[in-house]
């Protein structure tokens, strides 16, 4: 992967603007098309949202992103795309089968198989997570770790997509922060992350409460995949030592939520693929926050996380950055634990029991 040899300037601004405007124009057309052919998210009394809402928002994001990306690659950048081909094709598989799932509601085990194939494509490619705190890992451990990291994040962002603005907002803040890190760390792919932020921003105009369109599985899973790629690219200097910890901090909200979901379903002897209404956004709504306030609350926490991550760029000692990142991760986990027990008390008060009944989710 060739390092950056051009500054962020007119070309980057042009591509950012094009991605934003295309998504801004394309998304209403997708909404109209969905209404014409009745392509709506399933209406279910147990879901958070009400009414018939299109769920193909991912299409607008990634079509606008691809147009702006190819413009950037062919006119403004010396980015060597050959190394990134496995990542591109693996992401394309995730996206296409996610869109198919939005239409056909594929079986969970089949979707998981597709995710496994995509994760294998990347983990067997030249791009994988090969260092931890600057120490090079044995190839088998590095590739295996990359494989499970991708699977985890694809599903984490799919599960966190339960409220208007939430998944898209979390992804926007994470990718914007990652883009800045990569640019400072000498990776031209950071510009690519900024471009996709522009597409997400265009989508969020229509996803803010009350949402006119949802990401759908094609959108949420692909965003999870793109975010999973953050630590696979090498960075310069001390940032290489902390990049994995920074990446883990930036995804700590959806990752902690999916860890809790796996533990919850294991404890209750349910399938990992079963749905329920005990994710963090459900708990915040259950304890009394509105759906909009819940999304804003989690986005504020994510903004704090991203600011703490960027603060490590100003630290001269790697150990100081590690301490800051570990403290922030502990605070996120503390928030989840606190909300878990508050939610239990609310359930006990209202229903007389603590069980989280399995239910469908948006």
């Amino acid at each position: 992967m060739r390092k950056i040899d051009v500054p962020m300037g007119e070309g980057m601004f042009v591509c950012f603007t094009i991605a934003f405007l295309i998504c801004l124009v394309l998304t209403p057309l997708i909404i109209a098309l969905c209404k014409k052919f009745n392509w709506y998210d399933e209406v279910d009394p147990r879901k958070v949202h009400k009414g018939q809402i299109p769920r193909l928002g991912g299409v607008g994001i990634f079509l606008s992103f691809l147009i702006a990306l190819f413009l950037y690659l062919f006119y403004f950048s010396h980015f060597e795309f050959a190394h990134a081909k496995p990542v591109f094709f693996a992401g394309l598989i995730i996206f296409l089968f996610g869109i198919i799932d939005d239409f056909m509601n594929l079986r969970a085990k089949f979707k998981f198989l597709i995710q496994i194939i995509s994760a294998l494509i990347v983990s067997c490619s030249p791009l994988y997570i090969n260092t931890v705190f600057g120490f090079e890992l044995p190839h088998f451990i590095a590739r295996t770790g990359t494989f499970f990291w991708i699977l985890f994040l694809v599903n984490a962002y799919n599960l966190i997509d339960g409220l208007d603005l939430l998944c898209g907002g979390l992804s926007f803040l994470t990718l914007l922060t990652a883009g800045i890190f990569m640019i400072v760390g000498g990776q031209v792919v950071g510009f690519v992350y900024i471009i996709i932020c522009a597409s997400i921003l265009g989508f969020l105009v229509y996803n803010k409460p009350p949402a006119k369109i949802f990401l759908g599985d094609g959108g949420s899973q692909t965003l999870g995949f793109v975010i999973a790629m953050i630590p696979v690219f090498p960075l310069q200097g001390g940032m290489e030592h902390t990049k994995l910890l920074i990446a883990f901090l930036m995804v700590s909200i959806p990752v902690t939520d999916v860890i809790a979901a796996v533990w919850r379903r294991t404890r209750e002897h349910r399938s990992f693929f079963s749905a329920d209404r005990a994710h963090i956004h459900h708990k915040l709504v259950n304890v009394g926050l509105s759906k909009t306030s819940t999304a804003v609350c989690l986005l504020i926490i994510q903004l704090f996380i991203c600011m703490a991550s960027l603060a490590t760029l100003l630290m001269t000692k790697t150990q100081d950055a590690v301490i800051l990142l570990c403290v922030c991760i502990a605070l996120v986990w503390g928030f989840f634990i606190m909300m878990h027990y508050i939610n239990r008390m609310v359930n006990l008060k209202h229903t007389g029991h603590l069980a989280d009944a399995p239910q469908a989710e948006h």
Side-chain angles (χ1 to χ4, degrees), residues 289-301:
L289 272 67
S290 69
K291 288 178 282 189
T292 301
S293 297
T294 295
V296 171
C297 174
L298 292 173
L299 290 176
I300 289 174
I301 295 173

Side-chain angles (χ1 to χ4, degrees), residues 42 44-48 274-279 282 357-362:
E42 289 185 353
D44 190 304
R46 295 174 297 179
K47 293 187 178 182
V48 174
S274 63
D276 58 37
R277 291 189 59 152
H279 294 288
H282 295 128
Q359 297 183 43
E361 56 188 322
H362 153 49

Side-chain angles (χ1 to χ4, degrees), residues 207-218:
N207 186 241
K208 66 181 186 295
K212 297 180 177 66
I213 190 170
F214 296 148
L215 275 171
D217 286 346

